[in-house]
Amino acid sequence: MRDVLPSLSAAGTHSTSDPSSVARRARAALHPAPAALRRRLIAWYRRNARPLPWRGTRDPYRIWVSETMLQQTRVATTRDYYKAFLARFPTLDSLARARSQDVLAAWSGLGYYRRARHLHDAARVVVRDHAGRVPRDPAAFRALAGVGRYTMGAVLSLAFDRPLAVLDGNVARVLSRLFALRAAVRDPRGARRLWTLAEALVPERGARDWNQALMELGATVCVPRAPRCTACPVRALCRARAMGRVSAFPPVVARRAPVEVRRAVALIARDGRLLMARREGPLLEGLWEPPGVDLGRGASVRAQLEAALARIGVRARLKPSGRSVRHVITHSQITVALWRGEPVTPVSPSARLRWVDPGRARVPLTALARRLTAV
Ligand code: ADE
């Protein structure tokens, strides 16, 4: 394996006199053999594929929406959001024409909002530069905001059957085990080797089913802990299983420790509505939640919260509620202390401040705001 993979990547990067024959020879050296793997895995997939909503379509826009959501969100959660998002923005054109706060509102609760902003920007570029049609050309598609190697492979293979590989956590685990490859997708060198392998395996025709079959096996059978090897259609071809060492693959790579953040927010209510402020900064820009502050050292929590409120023009009498909630976003573990506030002077709504009826919010809320208003 070790010597096969570098020669494959050479085939992809240098123009040799006949690169396809290099790839063909390298493929022939792979073990298990790609043809046998494909036959068995695709036959299994056709019988066992879960009927997920995005599987009934070849519309590249719908597939793009699903793949964008699925990158950081579980299938079960994605299902409902996907349907609601497409009910709201049924075509790429309708998304391109939407206001960004409506797009964020439809994404609200899914997290990783940059995905929604990119999708929205990219839809506008497709309308402007590609006559509203998702480009089939890999380079043109990949040039769009938010489209990386995975999204490019997933959308163009599932929509147009283009022979492009995909590699996500599920596919990486399946390949690492099948080929007993000591490579983890979170490690850059491991990811390079896995991509090279995934590209060597993708068929010229039928990439659509092959890629989905790999993902499905990883999601339902070749799962991280306690894989269901007896239900696996390619168990007889699996090198990790032949070695009796399935749990040794893929190798474990230490996760980055989450950053601990302490935050305080003020819950200020009036006539059944809650005061919300527009968040700034890279992660939550444009989303709304009760005004608050990430706490530093030094001044008391009360003083820091008062100062943060003053900065947006709110003067309030504050009382600790004694309650706090733990909240996780991206790589941060946030402990949020909840305070109650009574305005001392009238609050004037502005571009960064408004009263929101939590049940009928017309602005996109952060996941924290949704949690706080549900309790
Ligand atoms: N995860 C990422 N893409 C997927 C897809 N198309 N189907 C199921 N799970 C997925």
Side-chain angles (χ1 to χ4, degrees):
M1 252 347 282
R2 287 228 161 83
D3 31 351
V4 169
L5 288 174
S7 73
L8 275 173
S9 66
T13 49
H14 302 296
S15 73
T16 61
S17 54
D18 183 3
S20 66
S21 85
V22 178
R24 209 176 314 115
R25 263 185 286 123
R27 220 176 273 143
L30 285 176
H31 177 62
L37 266 183
R38 272 185 218 135
R39 212 171 34 246
R40 294 185 199 193
L41 201 49
I42 291 174
W44 169 85
Y45 174 71
R46 291 190 175 143
R47 283 194 309 274
N48 292 280
R50 292 166 295 170
L52 303 174
W54 46 90
R55 288 201 169 142
T57 183
R58 295 206 174 160
D59 175 348
Y61 164 66
R62 292 178 169 242
I63 292 171
W64 189 1
V65 171
S66 72
E67 291 300 337
T68 305
M69 288 185 173
L70 284 162
Q71 271 172 52
Q72 268 108 0
T73 308
R74 293 144 44 91
V75 166
T77 312
T78 298
R79 262 193 154 111
D80 294 341
Y81 276 89
Y82 171 82
K83 287 187 192 153
F85 191 90
L86 287 171
R88 184 84 178 70
F89 309 111
T91 60
L92 184 135
D93 201 54
S94 62
L95 178 63
R97 279 188 279 106
R99 293 186 312 166
S100 53
Q101 75 169 37
D102 295 335
V103 177
L104 282 176
W107 208 270
S108 175
L110 271 181
Y112 298 91
Y113 296 94
R114 210 146 54 107
R115 294 180 295 175
R117 282 196 200 92
H118 279 156
L119 191 61
H120 190 206
D121 290 346
R124 289 176 166 166
V125 172
V126 171
V127 167
R128 195 189 64 203
D129 297 349
H130 300 280
R133 281 202 285 277
V134 174
R136 289 168 174 254
D137 172 58
F141 186 53
R142 184 138 183 211
L144 298 167
V147 178
R149 197 169 178 181
Y150 171 83
T151 309
M152 175 185 76
V155 174
L156 300 189
S157 68
L158 302 195
F160 305 124
D161 206 32
R162 301 286 315 241
L164 297 166
V166 295
L167 186 76
D168 63 2
N170 283 333
V171 174
R173 184 170 57 255
V174 168
L175 296 183
S176 167
R177 287 176 177 162
L178 280 174
F179 290 82
L181 187 63
R182 295 213 134 272
V185 70
R186 274 192 285 118
D187 154 54
R189 198 171 100 87
R192 271 198 303 279
R193 297 174 73 201
L194 287 161
W195 270 111
T196 303
L197 177 57
E199 279 167 356
L201 292 171
V202 75
E204 263 313 299
R205 284 176 174 200
R208 170 184 292 132
D209 282 357
W210 166 249
N211 283 340
Q212 297 220 71
L214 278 176
M215 293 187 205
E216 194 69 356
L217 191 74
T220 63
V221 173
C222 195
V223 293
R225 280 173 292 280
R228 304 191 301 118
C229 294
T230 52
C232 178
V234 288
R235 63 185 178 282
L237 304 173
C238 180
R239 290 184 71 185
R241 182 166 155 91
M243 292 157 70
R245 307 200 50 220
V246 172
S247 58
F249 297 94
V252 177
V253 175
R255 274 184 190 277
R256 182 142 56 100
V259 178
E260 290 283 340
V261 177
R262 289 190 319 128
R263 186 169 174 83
V265 300
L267 302 175
I268 302 174
R270 193 187 74 183
D271 304 333
R273 293 186 299 166
L274 202 57
L275 190 65
M276 302 244 186
R278 188 178 187 279
R279 295 271 327 232
E280 311 275 323
L283 287 181
L284 298 172
E285 166 106 40
L287 295 157
W288 295 71
E289 72 181 16
V293 64
D294 285 355
L295 297 167
R297 297 189 183 282
S300 68
V301 174
R302 178 188 298 279
Q304 291 185 57
L305 189 52
E306 266 172 3
L309 292 173
R311 280 196 290 277
I312 52 173
V314 178
R315 285 193 55 219
R317 228 183 326 275
L318 294 171
K319 260 203 292 200
S321 74
R323 287 180 44 222
S324 65
V325 295
R326 296 270 288 163
H327 187 63
V328 179
I329 58 170
T330 315
H331 295 297
S332 303
Q333 293 255 16
I334 312 171
T335 306
V336 187
L338 308 181
W339 288 60
R340 301 231 164 253
E342 286 280 339
V344 181
T345 53
V347 174
S348 351
S350 66
R352 289 195 51 195
L353 202 60
R354 57 173 83 169
W355 294 102
V356 174
D357 177 345
R360 289 188 292 158
R362 297 185 44 206
V363 290
L365 304 182
T366 65
L368 174 66
R370 292 156 71 97
R371 259 183 86 185
L372 292 178
T373 54
V375 286

